[in-house]
């Protein structure tokens, strides 16, 4: 399961695509350093330096540099306020960095801000799946799939995986079975059969 690319408006995507296409045509691997270098090197790119940091954040994510994306999203948040898209970008960058707790908090806030933000719901499902919270992940993916009008193959695949994993969770067949809590340390407990 991979973290999907966040949604953005067509103009933002076009500008980010232009930066990446210039790099590809120049024979460069589209890394965050190359993006920054291309912004600094050309006259036309001076206008790119004035780009919305949200666009840069998405470009860094596309280039596989979540650390640079995180900085750009923080800058966007400072300049524009913490919109649902910025919160989702921050959550996606934290997810890519393996910071699941931070990613979950940010993505939950993003979907509270905009309950119809499909990409944020999908990314939240990815976080929950990575944390193996399959029941909630399944419900979140169902909602994301419905919001996409059933058109996203990526969300459909995520939903199918979550449903398969949820079905693998053992059920209690004996209602009289006895269980006990075993302390695991740091306030964590494990439920075990006796």
């Amino acid at each position: 399961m991979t973290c999907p690319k966040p949604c953005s408006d067509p103009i933002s995507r076009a500008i980010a695509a232009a930066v990446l296409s210039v790099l590809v045509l120049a024979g460069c691997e589209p890394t965050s350093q190359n993006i920054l270098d291309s912004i600094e090197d050309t006259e036309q790119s001076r206008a790119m330096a004035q780009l919305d940091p949200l666009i840069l954040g998405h470009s860094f994510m596309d280039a596989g540099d979540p650390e640079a994306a995180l900085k750009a999203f923080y800058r966007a948040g400072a300049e524009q306020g913490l919109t649902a898209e910025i919160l989702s970008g921050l959550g996606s960058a934290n997810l890519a960095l393996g910071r699941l707790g931070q990613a979950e908090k940010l993505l939950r806030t993003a979907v509270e801000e905009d309950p119809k933000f499909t990409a944020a719901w999908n990314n939240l499902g990815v976080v929950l799946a990575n944390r193996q919270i399959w029941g909630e992940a399944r419900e979140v993916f169902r909602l994301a799939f419905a919001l996409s009008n059933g058109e996203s193959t990526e969300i459909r695949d995520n939903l199918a995986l979550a449903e398969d994993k949820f079905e693998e969770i053992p059920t209690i067949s004996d209602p009289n079975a006895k269980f006990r809590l075993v302390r695991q340390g740091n306030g964590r407990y494990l439920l075990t059969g006796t």
Side-chain angles (χ1 to χ4, degrees):
M1 185 180 327
T2 59
C3 180
K5 296 174 185 170
C7 297
S8 65
D9 62 89
I11 295 171
S12 300
R13 280 276 186 218
I15 293 170
V19 169
L20 292 174
S21 64
V22 167
L23 292 173
V24 171
L25 288 174
C28 298
E29 181 69 27
T31 65
S32 58
Q33 188 58 49
N34 289 341
I35 292 170
L36 288 174
D37 290 344
S38 72
I39 288 173
E40 294 171 359
D41 286 347
T42 68
E43 187 66 35
Q44 180 184 22
S45 296
R46 288 192 186 173
M48 297 297 240
Q50 302 301 319
L51 277 180
D52 181 342
L54 184 58
I55 296 168
L56 286 176
H58 290 312
S59 295
F60 287 135
M61 287 296 287
D62 289 342
D65 191 346
E67 195 67 52
L70 195 61
K71 292 174 185 174
F73 289 133
Y74 278 130
R75 188 175 133 215
E79 292 177 7
Q80 303 169 20
L82 291 176
T83 65
E85 187 173 5
I86 292 170
L87 288 164
S88 179
L90 288 166
S92 299
N94 276 292
L95 172 60
L97 291 166
R99 300 172 185 160
L100 300 180
Q102 291 173 324
E104 182 178 350
K105 288 177 189 174
L106 289 160
L107 290 165
R108 285 189 188 279
T109 306
V111 297
E112 285 174 16
E113 290 287 320
D114 183 358
K116 295 183 179 183
F117 194 177
T118 306
W121 280 111
N122 185 54
N123 288 351
L124 178 58
V126 172
V127 170
L128 294 168
N130 277 296
R131 297 183 80 186
Q132 298 184 2
I133 305 172
W134 295 112
E136 188 178 2
R138 180 179 70 163
E139 295 308 312
V140 167
F141 285 134
R142 281 182 179 168
L143 178 58
F145 192 60
L147 288 171
S148 76
N149 294 321
E151 295 176 5
S152 172
T153 57
E154 182 176 42
I155 297 174
R156 183 184 60 227
D157 293 345
N158 288 345
L159 174 58
L161 176 65
E163 285 182 341
D164 289 345
K165 291 294 187 178
F166 184 76
E167 294 299 323
E168 292 175 10
I169 297 173
T171 57
I172 300 171
S173 57
D174 182 4
N176 297 320
K178 300 201 184 231
F179 296 93
R180 66 186 178 102
L181 290 175
V182 178
R183 186 179 172 101
Q184 297 290 303
N186 294 338
R188 294 182 4 222
Y189 292 85
L190 176 67
L191 186 65
T192 61
T194 56

